[in-house]
Amino acid sequence: LTRALLTAGARRVIAIERDARCIEALQPLRIAAGGRLEIIEADARALDYNTLGDAPRRLVSNLPYNVGTHLLVGWLTGTDSIAGMTLMFQREVADRIVARAGDAAYGRLSVLANWRCRTERVFNVPARAFTPPPKVDSAVVSLTPYTDLPLSGGSRSAGKSDRRGIWPAPQDAARRAERPRRRPRGAARQRRDQ
């Protein structure tokens, strides 16, 4: 991914990597990139992205499945400095991100992602594309932040009232999106009846 970004002409790539083996593997690429690649050894969950490069930023990542939703929710609450995100998720999570009202995968993450950004599935990635292959398929999702948030009166300020009601602050919406999804009330009863 890093090599592809540089080959495509990115002026600057800041790679966040926690695994020392991957950092070592990136060193020859860093040297060949002639100063266009900076590698930061860190846990992506602990970084302040507003300190990395000039705004607006483009986030491109093959996210670890166990923290992908957590990272996305954090980025969605600070979209003012983000020009766009192209991210790979476990396919089930990607389904939830791009879901529209009425879709089976529609839920809190769909609401938050589609309130803050225009979302689009770019393509699916089968498990066999990786070595070793994971147990699930993946999907790449594009998220482009809105300049004026829908349903907010054209303003990025939230937690204020307008003629339609009071809209929650993004941090509150983000906390709700991260909570595990509840089973519909009749789901347990239906299983017992079968």
Side-chain angles (χ1 to χ4, degrees):
L1 177 61
T2 305
R3 183 183 318 275
L5 291 170
L6 291 166
T7 301
R11 290 189 315 257
R12 183 172 181 211
V13 174
I14 301 172
I16 313 301
E17 183 56 65
R18 186 173 145 170
D19 188 332
R21 296 169 299 173
C22 291
I23 292 170
E24 183 64 31
L26 285 171
Q27 292 308 320
L29 185 57
R30 184 185 60 78
I31 294 165
R36 294 189 303 142
L37 174 59
E38 178 183 349
I39 302 167
I40 298 176
E41 183 174 3
D43 183 335
R45 296 171 293 180
L47 282 177
D48 177 1
Y49 287 83
N50 291 317
T51 64
L52 302 177
D54 298 325
R57 297 164 190 81
R58 291 200 176 275
L59 303 178
V60 180
S61 183
N62 175 3
L63 294 168
Y65 292 153
N66 61 332
V67 297
T69 302
H70 174 83
L71 289 169
L72 175 62
V73 168
W75 296 331
L76 287 171
T77 61
T79 56
D80 291 344
S81 66
I82 297 173
M85 297 177 269
T86 304
L87 309 169
M88 186 175 336
F89 294 93
Q90 179 177 338
R91 187 169 174 184
E92 175 189 319
V93 174
D95 290 344
R96 289 176 29 217
I97 292 167
V98 301
R100 302 295 186 249
D103 292 349
Y106 189 73
R108 291 177 290 226
L109 186 57
S110 314
V111 171
L112 180 60
N114 288 286
W115 171 49
R116 303 292 291 185
C117 299
R118 183 178 51 80
T119 64
E120 173 186 7
R121 179 190 313 273
V122 181
F123 56 86
N124 294 323
V125 182
R128 68 180 180 278
F130 300 95
T131 304
K135 295 179 181 177
V136 296
D137 289 335
S138 302
V140 174
V141 175
S142 171
L143 298 103
T144 306
Y146 292 117
T147 52
D148 291 321
L149 295 177
L151 304 176
S152 67
S155 168
R156 283 190 172 262
S157 59
K160 298 187 176 187
S161 64
D162 66 10
R163 63 183 173 80
R164 292 166 290 218
I166 297 179
W167 300 101
Q171 300 85 335
D172 297 334
R175 278 192 291 275
R176 286 194 291 275
E178 282 191 350
R179 290 183 194 149
R181 295 178 76 185
R182 292 187 196 146
R183 235 186 249 148
R185 287 190 176 180
R189 197 173 315 122
Q190 288 173 351
R191 265 196 227 132
R192 281 191 303 240
D193 295 341
Q194 292 177 347

